Amino acid sequence: MQRSLISLAVMALLGLSSGLAPLAAAATSATPAAKAVKVTTQLPRNAVPTHYAVSLVPDAANSSFSASVTIALDIKQASSSITLNAADLKFSAAAISAGPGKPVQAASKISVDDDKQTATFQFAQPLAVGSYQLKLDYTGVIGTQPTGMFSLDYQNGSEKKRALYTQFENSEARRVIPSWDEPFYKATFALEATVPAGQMAVSNMPVAATSKLADGRELVRFATSPKMSTYLLFFGLGEFERATAVEGGTELGVVTQKGSIAQAQFALDSSVAVLKEYNDYFGVKYPLPKLDNIAAPGRSQFFSAMENWGAIFTFESAILLDPRTATQSDKETSFLVAAHEMAHQWFGDLVTMAWWDDLWLNEGFASWMESRTTTRLHPEWKWELRAVGTREQAMNRDALATTHPVVQHIASVEQASQAFDSITYQKGESVIRMLENYVGDDAWRAGVRSYMARHAYGNTVSDDLWREVEKAAHKPVTAIAHDFTLKPGVPMIRVADAVCKNGQTTIALTQGEFSKDQTDKKPLSWRVPVIAQTVGGATASTIVAGGKASMTLPGCGAVLVNAGQSGYYRTLYAPKAFAALADRFAGLAAIDQLGLLSDSWSLGMAGLMPASSFLDLASRAPLDAAPQVWDQIADSLLALHYSYDGKPEQQAALDRYARKRLAPVLARIGWSKAADEAAPVANLREALIQVLGAVGDEGVVAEARRRYAAAATDKDAMPAALRRPILGVIADNADAATWEQLHAAAREEKSSMIKSELYDLLGTAKDKALAQRALELALTDEGGATEGASILNHVAGHHPDLAYDFAVSHHAQIEKKIDASSRGRYFPGLGGRSSDPAMIAKLRAYAKQYLAADAQGDTKTAIASIQYRVKLRTARLPEIDAWLSKHG
């Protein structure tokens, strides 16, 4: 699953990123070579499904469906009842038999437990050990948010349309199919659906047969799926069109609403290239006959794409490229989403974690594969430089006391939903990158190939992977992997002053722990792979174990630790050592410039070195530094700008410095794309316009306004590459008349993708009165049923307290506008951006009233983020003030 791009941004800003009670039952992993492991379950283990034959009859107009399912299952322990997962389903009949021609026994009692999301079927005659078929007839609800089976309404030209889709991860298949809705219970699926004639039905497998019914509808039967977990099943229905290509015998497709298929060409071409790469890398060929990517209008506050096997679901904004609006960053996003979800076809679909404890085996690896593949297939994007930002996103969350290990115990549906966070994704990816670098690319790949081949169609835990990598690498990988996946937190390597003798440099390293809110905490211990060099010299490596190590490096001069930035740790230099590096900053490799900037920012804000250290480095960045370096400097200066909210004089001083540093960079690259321009420059231009607009650069604001006004008559005034940053500046600084103009454009827009973007902009105004109008708008369905929560989320960017108070005062209405998986994190996410200590009590009160104890993880993290932000404002900003007074 690709986490929602909005949600990830919110988590970064935060400093991040009522359930079922677990039963005591356990099971042994089905993977033959693995040791016996305990697998969490919330269902009795007396029955195991092997096949589901599902018949769906959706009624889109009335937001309901009727269905029947025949489940082939094995009774493992004699019992008079069967319990499985079901939510929001009403049963009309239930019966069981030992097979064709055998007696049929109707259920004597059907009991539904709404809290546990289960249905229990009692039978008068006990069921002996053996094979059975359980047939269930039932009805269900088609919702308006992306959970279970849901509808999305959209404008297609002058007509309003409705399409149906499903979203089952993590525990939502039970809303459509009564099932053993846990990843460990793999089975095959045969799906058929009765649909309106002329509409396209899509599922995991190709259509096997279509027949006309007497009432004019069609019965569509899909081929039987391979053995898979329930959360990977998919069904879609609507007025679609499909573009196809073939790679390695697999038919690849992109499915869109009618009229949008041309916007899918880049995604289709990317899918062809990625599938070829993955078939080779994994050593196990993609096993299904087809692989579709279904692009849907609307959005979710929880995810942007989902890896259903053979039928990836993706919101349009994350994969389609409209030539009127698409930017270089949109193209990158489209490729990344395809690469991420296609990686899941192996990591997650072919081989699935046994339980949500090991979700990172899905998400961390898909994130790592997306980055690796983007770097390999699009070297011109310089994606390898994004590794530092990925690591930072994880560390921002991991350095708070409320963090958790990569492998964490999950006891409920709510906890599983909250596990989709920056620890699972970005820390998982960063740890994999470090371990791959430690054992070597070839050994790592050999281990992954062996893991895939050994566990295909089965379930695993993390140690199954470490076992295969260790065999291939002949290195002690497991111990290091355990340190970084079973322990929470961020290691910190302290670097003492270097000693140079006889042309060699010796450094002493001490391992501690970086924390933003536990300064007196006794550090945990990790075995940390460290790579270091004297600047310009050859690298050397060691493992810091037991808390200490020393290294001898070739050459003399400034010492760079974590050279190449593959390590997951902070580096804290002694003052002289840092000063020596700062003097050489302009000559460092771009990735090391990024790493040094990131460490100085985080360590400075935590009080472990001067808070102004980042500004010392930023002032040394040459005008022609890599675009990614300037992008990071701009992003950090914008974060400082927001940290000064409520302190207008100090904010003005910071903004003057930001304009002084960034305006010459924009002047150098210009507003117009050069003929031979590198792709990262386009991204930098977009970022600089937005940041300079936010910090009040009069020239940028004036130029944005000029181009916005001219766009009505001059199509070149606001080209696609500049449209988003220009509109961002306009909306940010909007007055009432401009806001109304944007509102009118949003109402009139026919493209569902552009319409959503325009409605989002209405929530970004600095003006508090306009923010209030946006909040009132969010209560309506004017922009679509999935848009209101997004508008409110954007209001929280400038006005978190206003947005939070409004959302809570309209709790019942807002809760209907978010998907069920987001409910534990959406409201805390709004308040968590506040800098007001009073928000802490509000969040605690909210959690007490609305959230079960095991669903409060994101609330606790939001509170920790506020506490850290308050400390930063009181303890660190005065140091920034002093630096600006001296250098500004």
Side-chain angles (χ1 to χ4, degrees):
M1 178 183 285
Q2 189 83 24
R3 280 295 316 281
S4 166
L5 304 181
I6 294 174
S7 296
L8 289 177
V10 170
M11 288 166 63
L13 190 55
L14 281 174
L16 304 175
S17 89
S18 0
L20 300 174
L23 303 177
T28 301
S29 171
T31 50
K35 295 179 181 178
V37 295
K38 297 294 184 181
V39 178
T40 302
T41 180
Q42 295 167 327
L43 294 169
R45 290 291 193 194
N46 65 315
V48 177
T50 58
H51 178 73
Y52 295 85
V54 184
S55 181
L56 289 175
V57 184
D59 182 353
N62 293 303
S63 299
S64 64
F65 67 88
S66 59
S68 66
V69 59
T70 300
I71 308 172
L73 57 89
D74 295 327
I75 298 293
K76 298 294 186 180
Q77 300 171 0
S79 176
S80 60
S81 68
I82 294 174
T83 298
L84 42 65
N85 291 118
D88 297 329
L89 302 179
K90 294 183 178 179
F91 295 93
S92 56
I96 197 166
S97 72
K102 299 294 179 67
V104 176
Q105 184 180 178
S108 58
K109 183 181 180 181
I110 301 174
S111 303
V112 175
D113 189 321
D114 293 333
D115 291 335
K116 291 183 178 181
Q117 298 184 340
T118 59
T120 298
F121 304 92
Q122 298 277 352
F123 298 96
Q125 299 298 319
L127 305 173
V129 172
S131 297
Y132 294 84
Q133 291 187 342
L134 175 66
K135 186 175 186 302
L136 306 172
D137 297 324
Y138 58 97
T139 58
V141 177
I142 297 175
T144 59
Q145 300 300 324
T147 301
M149 186 184 296
F150 60 97
S151 63
L152 291 175
D153 294 341
Y154 61 96
Q155 193 82 16
N156 186 277
S158 59
E159 297 181 281
K160 289 187 176 181
K161 301 292 184 181
R162 173 169 291 183
L164 302 182
Y165 308 92
T166 60
Q167 165 58 24
F168 290 165
E169 192 177 28
N170 47 279
S171 307
E172 308 298 340
R174 63 193 66 179
R175 297 184 186 278
V176 179
I177 303 169
S179 57
W180 281 258
D181 193 17
E182 298 178 0
F184 185 81
Y185 288 105
K186 288 193 167 187
T188 55
F189 292 82
L191 175 65
E192 67 176 27
T194 300
V195 304
Q199 293 195 8
M200 181 186 295
V202 187
S203 188
N204 307 75
M205 298 294 287
V207 173
T210 301
S211 55
K212 297 284 187 182
L213 301 179
D215 61 5
R217 293 181 297 173
E218 295 179 339
L219 178 64
V220 179
R221 292 188 175 90
F222 297 95
T224 300
S225 78
K227 187 179 175 185
M228 66 184 189
S229 302
T230 50
Y231 77 89
L232 297 171
L233 187 64
F234 176 80
F235 174 72
L237 176 67
E239 296 184 23
F240 302 148
E241 54 185 331
R242 181 172 181 255
T244 62
V246 176
E247 168 54 41
T250 300
E251 184 178 84
L252 291 157
V254 181
V255 177
T256 72
Q257 59 170 284
K258 285 187 175 180
S260 296
I261 200 67
Q263 299 174 19
Q265 190 60 49
F266 178 77
L268 183 60
D269 293 343
S270 298
S271 297
V272 170
V274 170
L275 184 61
K276 183 176 182 180
E277 174 72 13
Y278 286 177
N279 277 337
D280 176 63
Y281 186 87
F282 289 118
V284 175
K285 187 176 180 293
Y286 174 75
L288 277 65
K290 67 97 175 176
L291 175 53
D292 280 323
N293 202 320
I294 298 94
R299 63 180 68 221
S300 163
Q301 298 302 303
F302 185 65
F303 74 107
S304 60
M306 173 59 203
E307 65 268 18
N308 313 298
W309 211 1
I312 297 166
F313 174 91
T314 310
F315 287 105
E316 290 176 336
S317 58
I319 197 166
L320 300 185
L321 299 180
D322 188 326
R324 296 172 294 170
T325 62
T327 64
Q328 172 62 27
S329 62
D330 290 330
K331 180 181 285 190
E332 292 168 359
T333 296
S334 177
F335 185 88
L336 286 166
V337 170
H340 183 101
E341 302 307 330
M342 290 177 70
H344 274 309
Q345 307 300 298
W346 286 264
F347 267 110
D349 298 2
L350 179 64
V351 181
T352 312
M353 76 264 145
W355 181 248
W356 302 105
D357 295 11
D358 287 285
L359 175 63
W360 88 288
L361 283 175
N362 287 14
E363 300 301 348
F365 275 86
S367 299
W368 166 71
M369 279 299 291
E370 87 179 41
S371 296
R372 177 197 177 277
T373 305
T374 304
T375 298
R376 180 174 170 82
L377 298 185
H378 284 287
E380 74 278 11
W381 294 352
K382 303 295 182 185
W383 205 257
E384 65 277 8
L385 297 181
R386 299 294 185 103
V388 173
T390 297
R391 185 184 69 196
E392 288 307 298
Q393 193 172 352
M395 287 184 175
N396 281 338
R397 172 72 175 83
D398 208 16
L400 292 171
T402 55
T403 189
H404 61 80
V406 170
V407 178
Q408 58 176 320
H409 179 60
I410 301 296
S412 68
V413 169
E414 287 79 5
Q415 285 184 346
S417 295
Q418 294 192 358
F420 291 82
D421 66 5
S422 57
I423 302 300
T424 297
Y425 284 74
Q426 283 74 36
K427 183 174 182 179
E429 175 183 351
S430 299
V431 169
I432 292 166
R433 184 179 294 108
M434 178 177 68
L435 293 174
E436 181 195 28
N437 189 69
Y438 171 64
V439 303
D441 296 357
D442 292 341
W444 183 263
R445 177 181 179 180
V448 169
R449 282 183 160 193
S450 179
Y451 170 82
M452 284 294 159
R454 183 177 295 272
H455 299 289
Y457 304 101
N459 298 87
T460 61
V461 295
S462 296
D463 277 353
D464 293 322
L465 176 68
W466 305 141
R467 191 176 298 112
E468 301 307 321
V469 172
E470 201 159 81
K471 285 179 186 177
H474 305 293
K475 278 187 172 184
V477 178
T478 301
I480 298 172
H482 279 177
D483 282 353
F484 282 88
T485 59
L486 301 182
K487 297 177 183 180
V490 182
M492 182 170 67
I493 301 297
R494 293 179 181 267
V495 184
D497 288 329
V499 177
C500 182
K501 187 176 180 181
N502 300 324
Q504 292 184 315
T505 297
T506 301
I507 54 171
L509 307 176
T510 306
Q511 181 251 298
E513 182 175 353
F514 172 69
S515 175
K516 298 197 293 187
D517 55 0
Q518 297 185 99
T519 54
D520 57 348
K521 178 179 182 286
K522 182 181 178 181
L524 297 175
S525 177
W526 292 265
R527 280 154 281 208
V528 184
V530 171
I531 300 172
Q533 65 179 151
T534 55
V535 174
T539 59
S541 60
T542 192
I543 300 291
V544 178
K548 294 182 179 180
S550 64
M551 297 183 73
T552 300
L553 310 174
C556 291
V559 171
L560 176 67
V561 174
N562 205 2
Q565 304 301 311
S566 64
Y568 186 81
Y569 56 88
R570 291 260 178 244
T571 306
L572 177 60
Y573 295 93
K576 283 175 56 180
F578 181 80
L581 267 182
D583 288 341
R584 301 289 300 274
F585 181 78
L588 297 178
I591 195 163
D592 291 317
Q593 290 178 332
L594 291 166
L596 201 57
L597 284 166
S598 296
D599 277 339
S600 66
W601 169 268
S602 294
L603 292 165
M605 292 300 139
L608 293 168
M609 62 190 303
S612 57
S613 299
F614 169 83
L615 295 176
D616 287 331
L617 293 180
S619 295
R620 287 175 163 87
L623 201 58
D624 62 351
Q628 294 85 348
V629 171
W630 277 115
D631 200 357
Q632 181 170 335
I633 291 171
D635 192 52
S636 298
L637 290 175
L638 184 62
L640 271 179
H641 165 84
Y642 287 124
S643 295
Y644 277 110
D645 279 349
K647 298 174 179 285
E649 292 184 11
Q650 296 95 323
Q651 189 178 61
L654 182 278
D655 289 352
R656 284 194 296 272
Y657 174 77
R659 295 193 295 267
K660 178 181 175 182
R661 281 309 279 146
L662 301 179
V665 184
L666 180 58
R668 178 176 179 270
I669 65 175
W671 282 69
S672 300
K673 178 181 178 180
D676 57 348
E677 181 173 284
V681 174
N683 293 334
L684 176 61
R685 179 181 295 111
E686 187 174 346
L688 288 173
I689 292 170
Q690 291 177 332
V691 173
L692 282 167
V695 299
D697 186 285
E698 293 179 358
V700 166
V701 174
E703 179 64 5
R705 285 173 172 161
R706 184 193 70 78
R707 288 173 174 266
Y708 177 68
T713 55
D714 179 5
K715 63 181 179 63
D716 296 324
M718 202 162 64
L722 294 179
R723 178 183 173 278
R724 189 171 295 130
I726 289 172
L727 288 179
V729 173
I730 295 300
D732 199 47
N733 296 282
D735 56 16
T738 304
W739 194 90
E740 281 296 350
Q741 192 174 16
L742 290 169
H743 190 191
R747 283 196 302 260
E748 294 165 9
E749 179 58 51
K750 302 303 181 187
S751 161
S752 54
M753 231 181 354
I754 298 176
K755 180 183 282 288
S756 288
E757 187 175 325
L758 289 170
Y759 273 104
D760 283 350
L761 286 170
L762 294 173
T764 63
K766 293 177 186 175
D767 184 279
K768 190 172 182 178
L770 295 177
Q772 184 64 44
R773 292 179 66 180
L775 293 175
E776 298 293 343
L777 180 62
L779 288 181
T780 74
D781 284 340
E782 181 184 302
T786 63
E787 185 58 43
S790 184
I791 295 173
L792 210 159
N793 217 346
H794 281 77
V795 172
H798 284 307
H799 310 280
D801 300 271
L802 179 69
Y804 176 82
D805 290 344
F806 182 88
V808 173
S809 67
H810 297 85
H811 184 270
Q813 291 166 275
I814 299 300
E815 194 171 53
K816 292 177 182 177
K817 294 181 176 295
I818 55 176
D819 35 324
S821 301
S822 300
R823 288 175 183 166
R825 64 166 37 124
Y826 180 80
F827 291 90
L830 299 174
R833 283 179 266 184
S834 173
S835 297
D836 185 352
M839 179 59 71
I840 293 172
K842 293 180 183 180
L843 287 171
R844 286 175 176 154
Y846 172 84
K848 183 178 180 180
Q849 181 176 357
Y850 292 109
L851 300 177
D854 60 9
Q856 295 182 17
D858 284 323
T859 303
K860 292 174 182 177
T861 296
I863 290 170
S865 298
I866 294 169
Q867 291 169 332
Y868 175 70
R869 198 173 299 113
V870 170
K871 183 173 70 172
L872 184 152
R873 284 165 62 89
T874 57
R876 308 293 169 238
L877 291 189
E879 294 181 48
I880 302 295
D881 296 338
W883 190 95
L884 291 170
S885 178
K886 182 178 179 181
H887 299 88

XYZ file of all heavy atoms in Angstrom, residues 359 495 542:
22
model
N 4.359 -6.252 9.172
C 3.893 -5.449 8.034
C 5.047 -4.849 7.255
O 4.975 -4.680 6.039
C 2.965 -4.344 8.537
C 2.472 -3.329 7.506
C 1.629 -4.010 6.439
C 1.687 -2.216 8.176
N 31.599 11.427 17.457
C 32.900 11.391 16.810
C 33.836 12.339 17.543
O 33.590 13.560 17.578
C 32.793 11.799 15.324
C 34.143 11.655 14.634
C 31.730 10.963 14.617
N 33.574 -0.273 9.752
C 33.667 -1.053 10.981
C 32.267 -1.262 11.531
O 31.294 -0.658 11.046
C 34.556 -0.338 12.025
O 34.846 -1.240 13.081
C 33.849 0.885 12.599
